[in-house]
Amino acid sequence: MCGIAGAYFWPDGGPLTDRLTKTLAHRGPDGSGRYDHGEVHLGHRRLSIVDLTETGAQPMVKDGLALTYNGELYNAPELRKELEAAGVRFRGTSDTEVLLEAWRKWGTDGLHRLRGMFAFGVFDERSGALTLVRDQLGIKPLFLVRRGKGVTFASELKALAAELGGSLTVDDTALVASLLYYWVPDGRCAFREAEKLPPGSWARFRPNGDVERGTFWSLRQVAEEGAAYEGEFDLNAVIEDSTRKHLMADVPVATFLSGGLDSSYLTAIAAREQPGISAYTIGFRAEDAKFEAMPDDLMYAKKVAAKFGVDLHEIEIAPQVLDLLPRMTYHLDEPIGDPAAINSYLICTAAREAGVKVMLSGMGADELFAGYRKHLANKIAVQYQRVPGLVRRPVESLVDRLPVATSKRGFRSVRFAKRFLSFAELPEETAFRRSYTMYDQAELVALLNPDLAGAVDDVITEHADTYHDNTLTDFVNRMCLADSRLFLPGLNLAYTDRSSMAASTEVRTPFVDIEVVKAAFRIPGDKKIVKRQGKMALKEAALSILPAEIVHRPKGLFSAPLRAWMSRDLAPLVREVTNEGELVKAGFLQREALQRLVDEDASGQQDRSKHLWHILTLEYWYRGAVSARSGGS
C-alpha cells in the first residue's frame, strides 16, 4: 500500500511531483522515489508489505517501462508462474514486478485478470504514453487534473488541492450531492477541474495530446451475468479463498473485529490460517453508549476471540472529537459525513503503534448480500403500501408525536420507525434513495441557496439513472447493485482508505473481491432476505465455521454515538457554524433552515445528529478549500 503521484507534460512537473509525493508521506513512510523521463515524472511513497527489500522499491523501472503502483495483487503468485512459464525472469518477489511484467505481456487486455486492489500509472518509454488504471471495484483512489495535453495525478485530492488550489473551483453540485448522501459520489469530485478515474477503467495520455479511455470491468455486467447463472457453488469456499489470499504479506496482519457477522466470519477464517492472529475492536464511553442505546458489540467480539484463540485488543472511542473533526476532514479529502471514519482511524492508529501494518475488514458484505436495515425496510415498505390507509394514518400520527430522545437517553426504535415512515409509501427508486439519504428533495432545496435548486434536480436524476441502469428483475439485487456502484466506492471504501492510510496502515477487504462479487450476484434476492432476516445466504455459509449465536445476533453498528457528541462535546461548534459559519456567510446554506435542524434535534422530536455532523464536516472542508484556493498556485 502506497501513495502515488505524477505529472505528464506539466510545467515544472518534476518539483510538482516531489511536492505531491511529500503530501502523501503518511501513505508510505517506509520509502520514497521519483522517476524522470523528459516531460514525464512519477513519484511514489512506499508502505513495505510484500518484498521488503530494494527489489520492491518504486517507481519500478525495467526494460523501457516505469510503474508507480498503489495496492496489492492477490493473485500475483499465479500470474508469476504463468509469466515465468512464458520466459519472464524476475529480479525480486514483489507483486509490483508481477504487475509490470503482466502489463508488458498483455497491456490493457490483461487488466481483467488482476485480482486485488490497485491504482497505478505506467509509462512506456518507447511510445511516450502514460496510462492510469484503477481497480474493478474502486477500492483504491486515483484523482487527476488535466490541462491542455498535460495531466497530473495523485492518490489523494488534498495533494492536488494543496498545489493547484488557486486554479481549482469548488463544485457546488458535488457539495449538494454530499449533503444528500453525506459523501461525494464517485462520479463527481469536490473540485470542478479534478476528476476521479472511474472503477474498472483506464486512461491513456499521449505526447500529442490525444487521450484514450477504456473500461475493463463492469459491475452492472457482472450482476446481469450473475442473474442468468443457474449452476451451484460453495459460497463459503469462495470467501475462504478470498480471505486466504488477502492474508498474503511479509509483515503481521490483524483484523477488525466488531463482533458482528462479517468481521467475525473473516476473523475466524484468518485465525485458522494464522493461529494467534491479533484483532482490534472498539468500545464507547458507558454514558455515550447508554444515551445512544447502542448494542453491546464488545461482548460478541470477546466470544469470537475466545473461541478462535484471537489476541483481542479493545480501543475505547472516547475521543477528543473537537480535535479529531478537523483532522479527519483533512484526511478524508472530500466532505464525508460518516463518523465511522474516526473509529477506523483510531483502530488503525492503535494497531500501527503495536507494529501492525495490515488489517482485514468485513467492509462490503452488507452491500453485496443485503445486510443493511434499508434493504429489509424497503421490502417491508412494499407490503406496508398494501395496508389500508385507515390503518396506516393513526400509526403514522402516533409515531410522528413520539420523541427520539430525552435528555438522558435515545430511543432507537422510534428513530427507526420515523425513518421508515419517511419513505414507506414512495415508488421503488425514490424509496430506496430516501431510505439512506439525508433529506427529501423539498428539505434539501429549503436548506440551500435558491439558485441551487437545479443542482438538486441533477443529483437526484443521477441517482435514478444509476439505479435503473441495468436489466435486473430482482428487487433485492437491484438495491445491492446500486449500493455497490454508489454507496460502496463513494463512502465506505473511500473513508476506509483515507482513514487507514492517515495512520500509515493498509486495510484489506476480502468481501470486496471480484470473485466474491461474482458469487454474490449469482444469489437471488429471495435467498438474501428471507422473511425478516437479511444476509441469509452469507449467514448460512458462515455457519460452517461460526456458532449460531454470532451468526444470528442482532446487527451491530460500526458507527459512533453522534447524539451524545452533539448534545455535549459539539454543541458549541454547532451554534458557531449555524450563526457564523463560512457556508452560511457564502450563502450556500440558509441560516434559518439550518437553525430548524438544530432546534428539531435539540428538542428530541427528530434525530438530526447525522445531518448536523455532516454539516460540520462540510464546513471544515469548505474552510480548507477556501484557504487552499487563496494560497495555492
Side-chain angles (χ1 to χ4, degrees):
M1 187 63 61
C2 308
I4 65 172
Y8 183 77
F9 286 89
W10 196 278
D12 203 27
L16 171 64
T17 298
D18 280 344
R19 295 193 298 272
L20 294 172
T21 306
K22 184 177 180 180
T23 304
L24 302 174
H26 53 278
R27 296 185 74 94
D30 297 333
S32 64
R34 183 174 128 193
Y35 162 85
D36 303 286
H37 188 279
E39 293 290 340
V40 183
H41 310 276
L42 304 179
H44 192 267
R45 292 293 313 202
R46 186 182 186 194
L47 183 64
S48 304
I49 290 172
V50 176
D51 188 352
L52 310 185
T53 71
E54 281 303 305
T55 59
Q58 296 189 54
M60 183 173 285
V61 184
K62 187 178 177 184
D63 298 335
L65 291 180
L67 172 68
T68 184
Y69 157 56
N70 166 31
E72 302 291 351
L73 202 57
Y74 302 122
N75 64 339
E78 295 92 328
L79 292 175
R80 177 184 292 269
K81 287 180 182 177
E82 185 175 352
L83 290 164
E84 285 177 333
V88 176
R89 295 294 173 259
F90 289 91
R91 298 183 301 207
T93 60
S94 72
D95 60 328
T96 306
E97 192 175 5
V98 173
L99 176 59
L100 187 147
E101 293 298 346
W103 179 267
R104 189 190 312 280
K105 183 170 179 59
W106 300 304
T108 56
D109 291 341
L111 290 174
H112 71 282
R113 302 163 64 113
L114 306 181
R115 183 177 180 182
M117 54 181 182
F118 49 85
F120 63 87
V122 60
F123 175 68
D124 188 328
E125 294 177 349
R126 285 159 290 199
S127 69
L130 170 71
T131 308
L132 303 179
V133 181
R134 189 175 177 207
D135 67 59
Q136 294 95 325
L137 294 158
I139 304 174
K140 291 291 99 188
L142 191 58
F143 295 89
L144 59 114
V145 174
R146 293 178 57 198
R147 277 188 200 160
K149 69 176 185 178
V151 62
T152 183
F153 65 92
S155 294
E156 295 182 2
L157 183 60
K158 70 176 67 63
L160 297 171
E163 296 304 320
L164 310 175
S167 60
L168 301 182
T169 310
V170 171
D171 186 338
D172 286 343
T173 304
L175 301 196
V176 169
S178 84
L179 278 170
L180 180 70
Y181 296 113
Y182 57 97
W183 76 89
V184 177
D186 220 45
R188 286 196 173 270
C189 191
F191 292 108
R192 199 171 297 147
E193 296 81 4
E195 63 177 288
K196 304 163 188 169
L197 192 66
S201 76
W202 54 270
R204 178 173 292 137
F205 304 88
R206 297 190 182 277
N208 64 1
D210 287 350
V211 180
E212 181 185 1
R213 293 178 181 263
T215 299
F216 64 92
W217 206 82
S218 165
L219 188 55
R220 179 190 66 185
Q221 183 178 337
V222 167
E224 291 173 347
E225 290 172 353
Y229 183 80
E230 296 181 351
E232 294 185 359
F233 66 95
D234 184 342
L235 178 60
N236 179 64
V238 175
I239 292 169
E240 284 191 347
D241 175 66
S242 177
T243 305
R244 278 194 296 269
K245 283 181 163 54
H246 281 70
L247 287 167
M248 177 188 73
D250 295 331
V251 295
V253 179
T255 73
F256 285 92
L257 178 57
S258 68
L261 169 64
D262 311 330
S263 64
S264 297
Y265 192 3
L266 297 184
T267 298
I269 296 170
R272 284 188 174 179
E273 295 294 316
Q274 296 185 7
I277 193 170
S278 294
Y280 289 78
T281 193
I282 56 173
F284 298 98
R285 290 181 297 198
E287 63 269 26
D288 289 349
K290 181 180 179 182
F291 187 88
E292 200 75 13
M294 302 182 86
D296 185 7
D297 290 338
L298 181 59
M299 173 183 70
Y300 293 100
K302 288 179 177 177
K303 288 182 178 180
V304 172
K307 179 173 180 61
F308 294 97
V310 172
D311 181 17
L312 184 64
H313 303 264
E314 180 188 353
I315 312 300
E316 183 177 87
I317 305 293
Q320 298 296 319
V321 68
L322 277 170
D323 296 330
L324 273 174
L325 179 57
R327 195 188 320 166
M328 289 312 305
T329 302
Y330 167 78
H331 278 296
L332 290 173
D333 270 356
E334 293 185 294
I336 294 179
D338 193 333
I342 286 181
N343 301 352
S344 180
Y345 172 72
L346 293 175
I347 288 176
C348 289
T349 298
R352 181 68 200 215
E353 288 172 353
V356 174
K357 285 185 178 181
V358 182
M359 299 190 73
L360 301 189
S361 163
M363 185 71 69
D366 285 314
E367 289 87 346
L368 293 166
F369 295 98
Y372 287 121
R373 291 187 181 90
K374 65 182 176 183
H375 298 135
L376 176 59
N378 275 276
K379 277 206 72 175
I380 294 173
V382 174
Q383 300 165 347
Y384 180 77
Q385 291 177 13
R386 302 188 189 116
V387 176
L390 288 174
V391 177
R392 295 200 308 263
R393 299 298 170 254
V395 173
E396 291 163 1
S397 178
L398 172 63
V399 171
D400 185 58
R401 293 195 302 271
L402 291 174
V404 297
T406 65
S407 60
K408 294 184 178 180
R409 61 165 299 180
F411 304 115
R412 292 179 76 211
S413 58
V414 177
R415 294 206 304 271
F416 293 157
K418 286 178 183 276
R419 186 70 169 151
F420 174 75
L421 291 176
S422 72
F423 63 83
E425 298 186 24
L426 298 173
E428 179 185 318
E429 180 274 327
T430 310
F432 180 66
R433 168 172 52 80
R434 196 63 195 92
S435 70
Y436 73 96
T437 55
M438 303 285 277
Y439 307 89
D440 65 27
Q441 186 164 359
E443 288 173 333
L444 187 53
V445 168
L447 182 63
L448 295 164
N449 186 310
D451 293 342
L452 293 171
V456 175
D457 286 337
D458 290 345
V459 170
I460 288 174
T461 299
E462 286 169 6
H463 183 282
D465 289 347
T466 300
Y467 187 86
H468 292 302
D469 179 31
N470 62 81
T471 60
L472 300 181
T473 58
D474 186 317
F475 174 33
V476 172
N477 275 324
R478 280 199 299 272
M479 290 191 287
C480 290
L481 177 57
D483 267 349
S484 300
R485 297 175 76 182
L486 286 164
F487 193 72
L488 187 57
L491 174 66
N492 283 339
L493 293 174
Y495 88 67
T496 297
D497 173 82
R498 307 314 184 275
S499 60
S500 61
M501 294 309 302
S504 302
T505 307
E506 172 176 302
V507 171
R508 299 176 176 179
T509 52
F511 288 115
V512 190
D513 171 85
I514 56 173
E515 297 304 323
V516 176
V517 170
K518 290 176 186 176
F521 283 106
R522 290 171 177 169
I523 301 169
D526 59 9
K527 300 289 187 184
K528 292 181 177 180
I529 299 179
V530 180
K531 296 181 179 177
R532 293 292 185 265
Q533 286 283 318
K535 215 154 45 177
M536 278 303 295
L538 190 66
K539 290 176 179 178
E540 290 174 3
L543 283 171
S544 64
I545 189 169
L546 286 175
E549 67 170 319
I550 300 297
V551 171
H552 293 297
R553 60 154 292 196
K555 182 172 176 57
L557 295 171
F558 188 67
S559 188
L562 274 189
R563 286 196 56 80
W565 290 356
M566 286 299 165
S567 64
R568 299 168 190 166
D569 309 68
L570 296 172
L573 181 59
V574 171
R575 287 193 294 271
E576 175 196 329
V577 169
T578 302
N579 294 316
E580 304 172 22
E582 293 299 322
L583 290 167
V584 169
K585 289 179 182 177
F588 184 80
L589 295 181
Q590 303 272 64
R591 181 181 284 111
E592 295 76 13
L594 181 52
Q595 185 63 56
R596 278 196 298 274
L597 292 179
V598 175
D599 293 342
E600 288 171 353
D601 191 70
S603 71
Q605 195 59 32
Q606 296 288 341
D607 181 9
R608 302 296 192 186
S609 56
K610 187 176 284 188
H611 302 68
L612 296 175
W613 173 267
H614 181 52
I615 285 169
L616 295 183
T617 65
L618 183 59
E619 172 74 17
Y620 272 112
W621 183 89
Y622 189 75
R623 291 177 187 178
V626 170
S627 174
R629 185 162 174 75
S630 61
S633 59

